[in-house]
Amino acid sequence: MQHTLDALDAWRELPIKQQPSWPDSAKVELVSAELASLPPLVFAGEVDDMRYRLGQAAAGNAFLLQGGDCAETFAGATADQIRNRIKTILQMAVVLTYGASMPVVKMGRMAGQFAKPRSSDSETRGDVTLPAFRGEIVNGFDFTEESRTADPSRLLKAYHTAASTLNLIRAFTQGGFADLREVHSWNKGFAANPANKKYEQMAVEIDRAVKFMEAAGADFEELKRVDFFTGHEGLLMDYERPMTRIDSRTGDPYDTSAHFIWVGERTRELDGAHIDFVSKIRNPIGVKLGPTTTPETALALIDKLDPEREPGRLTFITRMGAGKIREALPPLLEAVKASGAQPLWVTDPMHGNGFATPTGYKTRRFDDVVDEVRGFFEAHRAVGTHPGGIHVELTGDDVTECLGGSEAIDEAGLATRYESLCDPRLNHMQSLELAFLVAEELEKR
Ligand code: PEP
Ligand code: MN
């Protein structure tokens, strides 16, 4: 046990990036101790179950859908907003299940996605410079000294917000809200909108499939519940480490803040603290890979994070950019395939496609998002590997943060309802449209 704990804390001696400077370290210690004494948010058995399902996806027998906010907020953890996000993910999942003819593993970027990496430690407006906003688990978004000062009591607020979010996720997905026929009826509303006429054909086919299941006597009681997992970027070590517990069944450490933990593009140095920490926990692990990733780096990450080549252990989330994916991804796929390893390959078509408008909005074009997804499928088809999932920033609300889609949001339209504190999200309609387009790609496989 001591050995396990020593290994788990080896990251403390390694170079670490993107951590806040807390003004009061004694207070951080107190909060850490409190976090460590609070109940786990997820259970090790669920985490193992998810790893198994991700293994299925890596082998080409399932598909992963992961979606949610770039940065969750405390105020955004309302019943309505959580419900709308779950609803959107479930609606997308039905379309993808049809397109893939395979189980879709559903995961929210939810119930813990509170910490953000930033390109600069500070932000200057006029002649005032303050610490950058690092997500509500660290500091506030308002540009005042008080709000931007890192406050450790936010770690506890994040835990409790995650707990109540997860509670509602469990209630909605186990309590009848996720009934397949209900979710399907919401999708009919989407397809009936004249703007979405091009998806009518597939919507009709899904409708026939559901009717067929009913006629054939499928057990719809069973289809009332779905398993819904959570994941977030494991960035803030003062949260992730106290949430890590030794499982009494196996003696292994699990980060119980979420089922799935990923390491971001900015903190994935092979010899850095984050990669070392996640190498010691039993959760399924994701690593974001940007366009400068070399085959050697991908192979070294596999050796460090998945030396046993365990199905579902490691997910590579590629975020290359629409203009780069067709060159950048195939060499990685080739090298990993040749090594015999089989990580789960997921596309994040958001983070390589951001830009700012002249009016100062951070945005992405829906068409670029779709183009990156297509490039992802093309690369896998060419190399003979499995395109195993999609990771998107989305909300169930009718925000105007990304350009385009069937509602044709334009630059002037962004101002109508731009709510994200960080990166722009697909809105409800854009998310469903993306699901139909991904389903078309899945049908082609
Ligand atoms: C994110 O997922 O919000 C993010 C910061 O991504 P990346 O690490 O890929 O830049
Ligand atoms: Mn983001």
Side-chain angles (χ1 to χ4, degrees), residues 8 31 40 83 90 118 152 267 291 311 322 335 370 382:
L8 189 58
V31 167
R83 185 199 55 225
L90 293 175
R118 304 317 304 244
T267 50
V370 172

Side-chain angles (χ1 to χ4, degrees), residues 72-387:
E72 285 181 289
T73 62
F74 298 153
T78 64
D80 281 355
Q81 288 185 54
I82 295 167
R83 185 199 55 225
N84 288 347
R85 255 177 293 158
I86 295 172
K87 194 168 162 175
T88 305
I89 294 170
L90 293 175
Q91 284 182 267
M92 293 174 78
V94 167
V95 178
L96 294 173
T97 305
Y98 179 78
S101 301
M102 282 179 207
V104 170
V105 184
K106 297 163 247 339
M107 169 166 40
R109 245 185 99 108
M110 288 174 80
Q113 179 53 28
F114 292 114
K116 296 311 300 173
R118 304 317 304 244
S119 41
S120 167
D121 284 344
S122 61
E123 180 182 347
T124 301
R125 295 191 194 170
D127 49 14
V128 184
T129 297
L130 294 173
F133 172 58
R134 290 189 174 276
E136 288 197 332
I137 195 169
V138 172
N139 58 2
F141 185 71
D142 283 353
F143 194 71
T144 64
E145 173 125 30
E146 194 196 349
S147 138
R148 287 294 171 94
T149 302
D151 174 1
S153 70
R154 286 175 171 273
L155 288 158
L156 290 169
K157 178 109 190 222
Y159 168 89
H160 290 293
T161 308
S164 54
T165 302
L166 188 53
N167 183 53
L168 201 55
I169 292 176
R170 294 188 192 278
F172 278 142
T173 55
Q174 299 299 314
F177 179 77
D179 187 314
L180 175 69
R181 285 167 297 185
E182 193 63 25
V183 177
H184 171 60
S185 75
W186 303 329
N187 277 352
K188 281 203 221 163
F190 169 85
N193 184 328
N196 299 317
K197 193 143 182 55
K198 51 182 181 284
Y199 307 111
E200 199 180 354
Q201 171 70 22
M202 188 178 287
V204 167
E205 285 171 25
I206 298 176
D207 195 45
R208 287 175 64 92
V210 172
K211 288 207 175 99
F212 171 77
M213 284 168 72
E214 251 172 344
D219 185 355
F220 275 92
E221 275 310 303
E222 271 304 303
L223 295 171
K224 279 188 174 162
R225 281 175 293 278
V226 299
D227 291 316
F228 196 103
F229 299 98
T230 59
H232 61 256
E233 178 173 351
L235 181 68
L236 185 62
M237 291 309 299
D238 292 316
Y239 185 66
E240 304 306 334
R241 177 60 188 88
M243 288 305 296
T244 300
R245 314 289 162 78
I246 304 297
D247 176 29
S248 56
R249 304 168 312 161
T250 57
D252 290 331
Y254 286 74
D255 184 341
T256 65
S257 70
H259 302 103
F260 180 87
I261 299 288
W262 79 85
V263 181
E265 169 74 354
R266 292 179 181 78
T267 50
R268 61 165 174 75
E269 290 76 27
L270 265 172
D271 302 320
H274 288 89
I275 290 293
D276 189 79
F277 174 70
V278 299
S279 78
K280 308 286 167 50
I281 58 176
R282 282 292 287 141
N283 306 59
I285 299 304
V287 183
K288 294 279 200 98
L289 300 180
T292 58
T293 313
T294 60
E296 293 69 36
T297 299
L299 295 174
L301 283 165
I302 294 173
D303 283 340
K304 171 98 184 159
L305 296 174
D306 184 23
E308 315 283 343
R309 306 291 192 263
E310 186 182 12
R313 161 68 177 168
L314 179 61
T315 298
F316 280 142
I317 306 168
T318 66
R319 28 89 84 224
M320 303 295 181
K324 296 192 178 140
I325 185 152
R326 289 169 181 83
E327 280 76 57
L329 186 56
L332 302 183
L333 300 180
E334 299 275 10
V336 171
K337 185 181 175 198
S339 80
Q342 196 175 56
L344 170 60
W345 292 99
V346 169
T347 175
D348 162 0
M350 315 297 293
H351 288 91
N353 295 310
F355 68 98
T357 64
T359 42
Y361 287 102
K362 269 174 103 175
T363 190
R364 293 156 173 155
R365 285 192 190 88
F366 183 75
D367 286 350
D368 291 340
V369 170
V370 172
D371 191 32
E372 176 150 0
V373 170
R374 293 211 167 108
F376 175 78
F377 277 89
E378 282 168 30
H380 282 280
R381 255 179 240 130
V383 179
T385 41
H386 302 298

